Amino acid sequence: MKASRKNISLKILKITGIVIASILLLLFLIPLLFPGQVAAEVKKIANERLDTKMDFSKSRLSFFTHFPSLTVSLDDLSMTGSAPFRNDTLIKAEQVAFGINLKRLIFDNEVKINKLYVSKALINIMVNQKGQANYNIYISNPKNIKKENQPEEGTAIRLERIDLEDCHVKYNDRSAKILVDANGFNYVGKGNLSEDIFDLSTDADIDKLDLYYDRTGYVRRKRVHADLITRINTNALSFILQKNELQINKLPLKFTGLLTILRDGYKINIKAASENTTIKDLLSVMPPEYLTWLDETEISGRSDLLFTFKGNYNVAKKQKPNLAFNLKIDKGAINYQNAPVPLTDFNMDLNALLPELDPEKLIINLRTLKFKVGEKDYFNAYLRSKGLSEMTVDASVKGALDLAVIDAAIGLNTIDLRGVLKTDIKAKGLFSTSKKLFPKTIGGISLRQGWLKTQSYPNPITDITFVANVLNKAGTFQDLIVAAAPASFVFEGNPMYVNATLSDYGDLAYNAKIKGELNVGRIYQVFSQKGLDVTGYAKADLSLKGKQSYATTGQYEKLDNRGTLLLRNIKATSELFPKAFFIKQGNFRFQNEKMWFEKFYASYGKSDFDINGYLLNTINYFLESHGTLNGSFNMKSKLINVDEFMALEKGENKDRNLEVEYAKEDHPKMSGVVIIPKNLNVALTANADKVEYKGLVLNKLAGKVGIAKGGFFLENTTFNIIDCILGVDATYKDETPTTAHFAAHFTAKDFSVQRAYKEIPLFHDMVTAAEKAQGIISVDYTVKGDLDGNMSPIYASLEGGGTINLRDVQVKGLKLFDGISSQTGQKGLNNPDLKGIEIISTIDNNLIHIEPFTFSVASFRPTIKGTTSFDGLLDLRMRLGLPPFGIVGFPIVITGTHEDPKIKIFSKTGQKIYDALYDEKNNKVIREEKVSKRKS
């Protein structure tokens, strides 16, 4: 009996061992039996279903990559986006694996994909300003896919699981001005994804989440956990948020609603709420640098947060959803490290509505904002407003605060504040600059015995006094009076005083006195960080009195602007330029309508400027929101390097124009064009020793240069180049950071044709025959066209014409003349001497059209005309006049290229060159020039 049981046990063990061994054997054998079929099917479905370029280094079939699933793994996978992002990465992953349905593979010989694994990937979703997205790569009804009623066969996707491991997900929507950047993104999604409507269960973690709106960071480096159940309708590509619990740091949020993704936008109805949470949890979403303060501070109170986003988003149809935000804080209290007096009774009730995401329709209802500090200090405010540039306002601010007590209560450990701040302002009415209306206002704000010290600089700003009063009884610009008197402070022993009164904003009357001196570099450090290379000194003694209309109507005698402003070693940046301007010395004198530059030395990168002259209308420029500066100057320079001003070049200036930042992201290898300020109307009589532009060196610039109407101009300007005087009249205007338009008239007499060919790129491309020429020529040419993102001419855009005068030119070794000489048997034609010849030509659409010109060589009189292109195509006609007087001759046709000319004697039929097509609106070459197949 015992032996029988033992035999049975051994048999079971043997059978079990055989089964396990068989399974293990199958785990190794199956990938060997089907690898080519599976890899081929993956490529096939990618080609059929995806309108994009997909690459991977190798593919593997294994059970052990994501055990126990049989997976086909694609290593180093990359995929580009849909138009207009076909050159930009959509996905780049260390590995992408597809889980295969083993039963269907073995028994039905079909590849059914039911799982997707993505590891260490960059998922880069992009939407441009027009609302065009890069993720529209899926072909819904490809021509080579079976019709609905045909039997199912071949490869199919029936996803049940999506697994993302350690991914970087970036969503950059420029049309909505939203940037979401998620690092360390881990995601597991489960559901029957093959159904038309299914529930997707999601577990997701993000190590670091950044959320920017309009380039301002509202969430930075936050940890996020999400537990979601989302019902997905694949027919409409809509997402119904059922159970969606999200936690950002310690703040819990619940999402409900609907999101439908359309090809050209979204349909949105989303509600996010964090109800009855603590204020401390709410504050945990603050920027990371404040979280240490949060740990050291005792905070109590409750908060309710509600966010809704509802409507359609479609850029083409100008549809945008409504955004609403509600925040309530009740019985809040802040006590930093057991401060002597805490901040208590903090209450806030804020409702904000942004209909159609239109700032002009913004509605703010701050019902209350109030708190107390101790028994005496308090702050109360409310604000109700509607609109932006034309805004109805009902507001009140009233408070009395000892800043030192506030400092201690909330723990401003990076700033030491002191002083007594009082405010009592009420305003009600309509604000409109176009209608010159201002809310009826009464009140003021004062700060006395002020003190400010930061950890960035050892010495404080002391004796800060600021008293400002506002009065407007009638509700118009004309009735508005703002008086700031006195305003003063002391920094490092140097006092600064400002007394100013502004009234009648319809025709602004100003009366201001400014006196004092500042170490600008040191006061900058007070508000900035240590170690920054900022120095500087400013001293002012100004008395300014007048009205705007006195300057605009030429009543300069009624102005009383006088005084001096001295600057030393000041760094200044502009959003238009990559580098900083460094003002080494600036002595300015104010005299009524003029601001004189008496000594002004500045540099920008390698470029330097020595300027004297004046600006008009400077006071109005600073008072108006869209003023224009007018002026006249003399300028000297040792070097002006144009390349350093190109918009996309690298530089220390981080505060750049938004359009420039977008262009830098889109075109990292481009230099950009030079962007001209739109608010200047300035002329300069200029003298520069050297001007450098894209490797071209122009010496001894002299003439009139300037900026007007957002463009740059040269007038009666001369340069020294290749040992000759080049005269230029030109205009230039940027269109975008990567495109510009120019028009120019060039004249140059008696210069070396060989040096021009080697040293001037435009001449090199226009006069290709100059490669084999020696001698002296002159040029008088007018040309206009566009510049590309590297500030080089787009040849297909060029239009113009003019003359090239050959004073004394020898041509040796040019294939065109060598070919003619060979075909005709006349060796004297191969190296002609060209003297006193004027060649007239015009250019357009990448072609150069040459008018007939005649010259003498070896007793022959050739006449040449025809067309050539910037890319070297030829369609030239020659009449070779025979000795003695050229009355009798025969035709020759030259086609082919400069490098390989095709010469036919006694022929009049050539090959017409069709010109290029250029889209001026989009600065693109639609079609390159080409040779006609028909004879002409």
Side-chain angles (χ1 to χ4, degrees):
M1 188 71 178
K2 290 182 179 179
S4 176
R5 289 179 180 175
K6 184 177 180 180
N7 291 334
I8 291 172
S9 298
L10 288 172
K11 287 181 179 180
I12 291 173
L13 289 174
K14 287 180 180 180
I15 293 170
T16 303
I18 292 170
V19 170
I20 292 173
S22 299
I23 291 173
L24 291 173
L25 182 61
L26 284 172
L27 293 178
F28 285 99
L29 287 178
I30 288 175
L32 298 177
L33 295 173
F34 298 96
Q37 177 187 351
V38 174
E41 289 293 335
V42 169
K43 289 183 179 180
K44 176 184 176 183
I45 194 170
N47 291 330
E48 291 175 344
R49 293 288 187 179
L50 301 179
D51 181 21
T52 185
K53 179 182 179 183
M54 187 180 79
D55 291 316
F56 52 89
S57 60
K58 63 179 180 179
S59 63
R60 290 178 287 114
L61 190 64
S62 172
F63 277 102
F64 301 104
T65 305
H66 294 280
F67 187 83
S69 296
L70 174 63
T71 57
V72 56
S73 301
L74 308 179
D75 293 346
D76 303 318
L77 180 138
S78 64
M79 187 183 300
T80 58
S82 55
F85 301 95
R86 294 196 183 277
N87 295 322
D88 298 305
T89 298
L90 174 60
I91 298 175
K92 186 175 184 180
E94 185 176 292
Q95 186 182 86
V96 174
F98 302 94
I100 308 297
N101 186 309
L102 184 59
K103 174 181 173 293
R104 299 292 289 270
L105 179 64
I106 294 175
F107 296 105
D108 300 330
N109 199 32
E110 294 176 351
V111 178
K112 301 298 179 185
I113 297 172
N114 59 5
K115 296 176 184 177
L116 172 65
Y117 302 89
V118 181
S119 302
K120 299 185 185 304
L122 168 64
I123 302 172
N124 184 34
I125 301 171
M126 304 168 69
V127 183
N128 65 16
Q129 288 105 315
K130 298 178 180 179
Q132 298 169 309
N134 70 337
Y135 52 74
N136 294 316
I137 61 172
Y138 186 72
I139 302 173
S140 58
N141 291 303
K143 295 179 181 179
N144 55 342
I145 296 296
K146 66 177 182 65
K147 295 182 180 179
E148 184 177 350
N149 295 326
Q150 288 180 340
E152 183 180 308
E153 60 182 14
T155 304
I157 299 176
R158 298 288 186 267
L159 286 179
E160 298 169 3
R161 177 187 177 103
I162 299 175
D163 195 326
L164 307 181
E165 179 186 0
D166 193 18
C167 293
H168 179 192
V169 179
K170 191 173 181 181
Y171 174 81
N172 188 357
D173 188 339
R174 291 181 182 170
S175 66
K177 300 181 181 179
I178 292 174
L179 171 64
V180 179
D181 197 348
N183 276 283
F185 185 65
N186 295 279
Y187 172 94
V188 176
K190 299 177 182 178
N192 191 354
L193 281 69
S194 62
E195 299 293 333
D196 291 339
I197 300 175
F198 63 91
D199 289 340
L200 177 65
S201 175
T202 297
D203 186 13
D205 286 286
I206 301 173
D207 293 338
K208 294 178 182 178
L209 175 69
D210 292 344
L211 172 62
Y212 287 78
Y213 176 72
D214 201 12
R215 304 186 77 83
T216 298
Y218 291 93
V219 175
R220 290 193 290 122
R221 302 202 299 274
K222 298 303 174 190
R223 183 171 180 82
V224 175
H225 173 73
D227 183 9
L228 317 174
I229 296 178
T230 306
R231 176 155 293 179
I232 300 177
N233 184 337
T234 58
N235 293 323
L237 199 55
S238 65
F239 303 83
I240 301 172
L241 308 176
Q242 294 178 321
K243 176 197 171 187
N244 290 276
E245 296 177 358
L246 189 69
Q247 184 164 314
I248 304 176
N249 271 12
K250 297 180 180 180
L251 179 68
L253 288 172
K254 292 184 178 180
F255 283 83
T256 58
L258 170 72
L259 171 64
T260 301
I261 299 178
L262 310 173
R263 188 170 185 86
D264 52 0
Y266 317 95
K267 183 178 182 179
I268 302 167
N269 187 357
I270 294 176
K271 177 182 176 182
S274 181
E275 298 175 344
N276 200 25
T277 56
T278 68
I279 295 176
K280 193 157 190 172
D281 290 344
L282 177 66
L283 295 178
S284 72
V285 300
M286 290 194 309
E289 54 265 30
Y290 296 104
L291 296 185
T292 302
W293 169 86
L294 192 63
D295 293 336
E296 297 173 347
T297 306
E298 181 183 336
I299 299 174
S300 62
R302 310 300 295 179
S303 69
D304 290 309
L305 175 66
L306 177 63
F307 170 93
T308 61
F309 202 28
K310 185 176 181 180
N312 292 336
Y313 187 92
N314 186 307
V315 176
K317 297 180 180 178
K318 298 182 179 180
Q319 295 176 337
K320 292 185 179 180
N322 300 326
L323 175 65
F325 175 81
N326 302 305
L327 175 63
K328 288 184 180 180
I329 295 176
D330 187 38
K331 298 179 181 179
I334 300 175
N335 188 358
Y336 177 74
Q337 292 186 343
N338 298 314
V341 180
L343 185 151
T344 61
D345 297 335
F346 184 86
N347 290 278
M348 182 170 70
D349 188 353
L350 170 65
N351 292 320
L353 178 63
L354 191 60
E356 299 175 348
L357 296 179
D358 185 355
E360 293 300 325
K361 299 178 181 179
L362 175 65
I363 299 172
I364 295 176
N365 187 2
L366 179 62
R367 294 187 180 93
T368 182
L369 173 61
K370 63 180 181 179
F371 60 84
K372 289 172 58 178
V373 185
E375 295 298 325
K376 296 180 180 180
D377 294 355
Y378 68 95
F379 183 86
N380 290 316
Y382 70 82
L383 167 65
R384 289 182 285 272
S385 70
K386 184 177 181 180
L388 191 62
S389 59
E390 188 167 300
M391 179 192 300
T392 57
V393 176
D394 182 4
S396 172
V397 180
K398 189 173 184 178
L401 300 172
D402 186 328
L403 297 182
V405 176
I406 289 284
D407 191 334
I410 63 177
L412 300 176
N413 52 7
T414 60
I415 300 176
D416 184 3
L417 274 178
R418 303 178 194 175
V420 177
L421 177 67
K422 293 184 178 182
T423 179
D424 188 356
I425 301 175
K426 290 185 177 181
K428 189 172 184 179
L430 179 64
F431 172 81
S432 172
T433 55
S434 60
K435 297 178 181 178
K436 298 189 180 300
L437 298 176
F438 195 91
K440 294 179 181 180
T441 307
I442 186 169
I445 182 171
S446 68
L447 173 63
R448 300 184 186 276
Q449 301 173 358
W451 164 293
L452 172 63
K453 182 180 179 300
T454 70
Q455 62 181 9
S456 300
Y457 193 73
N459 298 327
I461 302 172
T462 64
D463 301 325
I464 304 171
T465 299
F466 178 75
V467 179
N469 291 289
V470 182
L471 179 63
N472 190 328
K473 293 182 178 180
T476 66
F477 270 27
Q478 187 175 0
D479 196 54
L480 178 61
I481 299 173
V482 179
S488 62
F489 63 87
V490 176
F491 181 63
E492 297 204 324
N494 296 319
M496 174 67 75
Y497 300 97
V498 177
N499 285 275
T501 301
L502 304 175
S503 61
D504 187 2
Y505 278 66
D507 179 13
L508 187 61
Y510 55 89
N511 188 353
K513 290 182 172 56
I514 306 168
K515 187 172 184 178
E517 57 185 277
L518 282 178
N519 187 315
V520 177
R522 292 177 183 175
I523 202 167
Y524 182 88
Q525 291 179 31
V526 171
F527 299 100
S528 188
Q529 302 295 321
K530 292 181 179 179
L532 292 180
D533 181 22
V534 177
T535 60
Y537 167 83
K539 183 177 180 180
D541 187 358
L542 298 173
S543 176
L544 309 172
K545 186 176 181 180
K547 283 190 172 185
Q548 280 186 295
S549 61
Y550 294 165
T552 56
T553 59
Q555 301 178 69
Y556 302 131
E557 71 281 358
K558 292 184 179 181
L559 292 171
D560 186 13
N561 299 325
R562 47 194 164 84
T564 58
L565 175 64
L566 306 179
L567 300 179
R568 302 282 187 279
N569 300 328
I570 300 292
K571 242 182 184 178
T573 58
S574 165
E575 65 174 7
L576 303 179
F577 303 114
K579 296 181 181 293
F581 290 88
F582 188 72
I583 303 172
K584 299 176 182 178
Q585 180 176 351
N587 291 12
F588 307 99
R589 177 171 55 87
F590 288 79
Q591 182 181 4
N592 292 338
E593 79 279 12
K594 294 179 180 178
M595 176 181 175
W596 289 92
F597 287 54
E598 296 190 327
K599 289 183 179 179
F600 185 85
Y601 308 120
S603 63
Y604 175 89
K606 298 177 183 178
S607 305
D608 63 274
F609 307 94
D610 178 354
I611 294 175
N612 63 76
Y614 65 84
L615 283 175
L616 289 170
N617 201 32
T618 51
I619 306 299
N620 283 357
Y621 172 77
F622 290 108
L623 294 176
E624 292 179 349
S625 58
H626 301 289
T628 299
L629 281 173
N630 300 281
S632 178
F633 294 93
N634 294 311
M635 183 191 77
K636 294 181 180 179
S637 175
K638 294 179 181 177
L639 170 66
I640 299 175
N641 188 333
V642 178
D643 300 351
E644 295 179 319
F645 290 86
M646 295 179 186
L648 308 189
E649 286 289 338
K650 292 181 180 179
E652 66 271 30
N653 184 13
K654 304 301 181 184
D655 186 17
R656 302 301 308 278
N657 176 287
L658 182 61
E659 193 178 10
V660 171
E661 292 295 341
Y662 284 162
K664 287 172 69 175
E665 292 175 9
D666 294 342
H667 310 287
K669 295 183 180 180
M670 286 186 178
S671 65
V673 301
V674 178
I675 299 178
I676 305 300
K678 303 298 186 286
N679 56 354
L680 290 180
N681 186 9
V682 177
L684 302 95
T685 301
N687 286 278
D689 294 343
K690 184 187 293 186
V691 176
E692 294 181 357
Y693 166 58
K694 295 183 69 63
L696 190 64
V697 177
L698 306 169
N699 298 302
K700 302 298 181 184
L701 177 149
K704 186 177 181 181
V705 303
I707 297 172
K709 298 179 180 179
F712 178 79
F713 68 86
L714 298 172
E715 188 176 296
N716 297 325
T717 306
T718 60
F719 298 92
N720 187 307
I721 183 172
I722 58 172
D723 294 331
C724 82
I725 302 299
L726 174 68
V728 181
D729 289 282
T731 60
Y732 167 93
K733 192 177 182 69
D734 61 278
E735 297 172 342
T736 72
T738 55
T739 56
H741 183 81
F742 78 97
H745 176 216
F746 302 98
T747 58
K749 291 185 177 181
D750 299 340
F751 61 91
S752 165
V753 63
Q754 189 58 209
R755 286 193 62 185
Y757 179 83
K758 291 179 178 179
E759 300 178 29
I760 304 176
L762 185 60
F763 186 88
H764 175 283
D765 295 331
M766 285 183 60
V767 191
T768 53
E771 180 185 10
K772 304 295 183 179
Q774 299 284 345
I776 304 299
I777 68 173
S778 298
V779 170
D780 187 336
Y781 223 88
T782 299
V783 65
K784 67 178 182 178
D786 294 331
L787 301 174
D788 63 17
N790 290 310
M791 212 161 168
S792 297
I794 302 174
Y795 286 102
S797 74
L798 299 183
E799 298 178 21
T803 62
I804 299 176
N805 190 287
L806 312 183
R807 195 184 81 181
D808 186 3
V809 176
Q810 300 82 42
V811 180
K812 293 184 179 180
L814 187 65
K815 291 182 179 180
L816 188 151
F817 285 115
D818 286 350
I820 295 172
S821 177
S822 175
Q823 290 280 339
T824 59
Q826 302 296 324
K827 294 185 178 180
L829 296 174
N830 57 356
N831 293 318
D833 291 338
L834 309 176
K835 295 183 179 181
I837 299 170
E838 185 175 83
I839 301 175
I840 300 173
S841 64
T842 58
I843 57 176
D844 66 85
N845 297 328
N846 219 43
L847 301 184
I848 305 169
H849 305 284
I850 303 168
E851 298 294 320
F853 68 94
T854 302
F855 58 98
S856 298
V857 52
S859 301
F860 293 92
R861 289 184 61 80
T863 298
I864 297 177
K865 66 177 181 179
T867 301
T868 181
S869 80
F870 283 109
D871 294 327
L873 299 178
L874 298 176
D875 182 28
L876 300 177
R877 315 300 165 90
M878 175 187 286
R879 179 186 181 277
L880 186 62
L882 301 174
F885 303 111
I887 297 173
V888 178
F890 57 86
I892 301 174
V893 170
I894 304 116
T895 57
T897 67
H898 285 287
E899 292 298 319
D900 185 20
K902 308 297 183 183
I903 299 166
K904 294 184 291 184
I905 302 176
F906 300 109
S907 175
K908 292 184 179 181
T909 56
Q911 286 185 310
K912 180 181 178 181
I913 304 173
Y914 286 119
D915 56 4
L917 290 181
Y918 179 71
D919 181 358
E920 292 185 9
K921 183 178 180 180
N922 297 300
N923 302 100
K924 288 184 178 180
V925 179
I926 300 173
R927 184 192 72 196
E928 295 183 354
E929 77 280 8
K930 60 181 180 179
V931 176
S932 169
K933 294 181 179 180
R934 296 181 179 180
K935 304 295 184 180
S936 63

